[in-house]
Amino acid sequence: MVKVAYWDTESSGPVPQILGQIQGTPTIKLVKPKRKGKNNKQKNVLDYQMERKAHDLKEFALQSMPNFVESPKDVEDFERIRAKAKKYGLPLLLVFSSSSRTINEFKYLSTEYRRRVLVVQVSGSNKKLKELFFRFGVILNGNSLLAVPPTEEGSDADDSHNAISYDGKYSLHRLQTFFSEHALDSEVKPKSPTSGEEGKKDEPNVEEKKQKVKTEL
């Protein structure tokens, strides 16, 4: 879930610019995708300040993991997330759980499959989400993982009937296989602003531009 890389400052050449200045060695840094970045290539870099012990290193790495799992507050919030999935043609991976805590496997997979699938955690500890357990046929406060294929934007079809259930233990390898089977082959890109004639409507003509320059001068 966390990839470890080693950089020899003496034999590997200049340190990558993203890591910033290295004051001394050994130095430990953690690089992770920005939460609001356009893609996983945009990074945040954190300095490790804890003790150089295996337990502390593990805790730092797992606690610092990026998390792109959506956590709706109520049914209305879930519908907003569902509408976003429809808009971009994304499959939904619904994680029904008895707790509001997101396990590390889903944090990792939500990052690896970012913009190829939308991961949503429905917590049974939130009474406002109780309706969703019944809608998708999940035992209240039970743990279940469902894949919902993408539907067209504007469609009011009940996608709960098309949900595909994951069967098995939550091991990273098996979960990764399930995600790869239901995720899109490539990342979706944000829709570009409207261009063409529609985009030219509000563009001032040459005379208006000249007049504007005269006024400003």
Side-chain angles (χ1 to χ4, degrees):
M1 288 183 285
V2 177
K3 297 177 182 178
V4 180
Y6 171 76
W7 190 274
D8 190 325
T9 56
E10 293 184 359
S11 62
S12 299
V15 176
Q17 188 176 2
I18 189 175
L19 297 178
Q21 188 175 2
I22 304 297
Q23 301 289 349
T25 55
T27 294
I28 300 174
K29 290 178 179 281
L30 184 138
V31 182
K32 68 177 185 177
K34 289 183 177 180
R35 174 70 189 179
K36 295 185 178 181
K38 293 181 179 179
N39 51 51
N40 283 350
K41 293 180 180 179
Q42 295 179 294
K43 308 289 188 182
N44 278 327
V45 179
L46 305 178
D47 290 312
Y48 179 75
Q49 305 288 358
M50 299 166 68
E51 290 190 52
R52 306 294 175 89
K53 295 181 178 180
H55 174 77
D56 291 334
L57 284 164
K58 179 182 176 181
E59 285 300 306
F60 174 75
L62 293 178
Q63 289 178 11
S64 302
M65 284 178 66
N67 181 9
F68 295 98
V69 176
E70 299 272 5
S71 300
K73 299 175 182 177
D74 50 34
V75 174
E76 184 179 352
D77 197 22
F78 173 80
E79 292 301 337
R80 178 190 59 78
I81 296 170
R82 181 168 166 260
K84 181 168 70 172
K86 287 184 177 183
K87 178 180 179 180
Y88 292 103
L90 285 167
L92 282 173
L93 264 291
L94 304 180
V95 182
F96 288 87
S97 64
S98 56
S99 169
S100 59
R101 174 181 169 272
T102 302
I103 64 174
N104 294 323
E105 285 81 0
F106 288 121
K107 290 181 184 180
Y108 169 76
L109 292 168
S110 72
T111 305
E112 286 294 300
Y113 290 89
R114 186 184 180 193
R115 300 187 186 279
R116 293 173 57 194
V117 67
L118 199 55
V119 186
V120 184
Q121 181 167 358
V122 182
S123 171
S125 62
N126 184 347
K127 294 181 180 179
K128 294 180 179 179
L129 298 175
K130 182 178 178 180
E131 175 189 325
L132 296 178
F133 280 81
F134 294 113
R135 185 194 301 185
F136 287 91
V138 178
I139 298 174
L140 189 60
N141 288 329
N143 295 320
S144 184
L145 173 62
L146 303 177
V148 181
T151 55
E152 294 183 1
E153 185 178 4
S155 171
D156 292 326
D158 185 1
D159 49 13
S160 63
H161 299 302
N162 299 323
I164 302 165
S165 179
Y166 170 84
D167 184 23
K169 294 182 178 180
Y170 283 174
S171 69
L172 182 59
H173 176 71
R174 296 186 66 175
L175 286 169
Q176 197 157 18
T177 300
F178 187 74
F179 269 65
S180 65
E181 288 174 351
H182 299 286
L184 300 180
D185 293 332
S186 57
E187 294 183 9
V188 296
K189 304 296 181 183
K191 295 181 180 180
S192 58
T194 307
S195 57
E197 292 300 318
E198 192 174 325
K200 294 179 181 178
K201 285 182 180 180
D202 298 326
E203 189 175 298
N205 57 36
V206 177
E207 290 301 319
E208 287 175 337
K209 287 181 178 178
K210 288 180 179 178
Q211 186 64 37
K212 185 178 180 181
V213 171
K214 289 179 181 179
T215 304
E216 289 176 347
L217 292 175

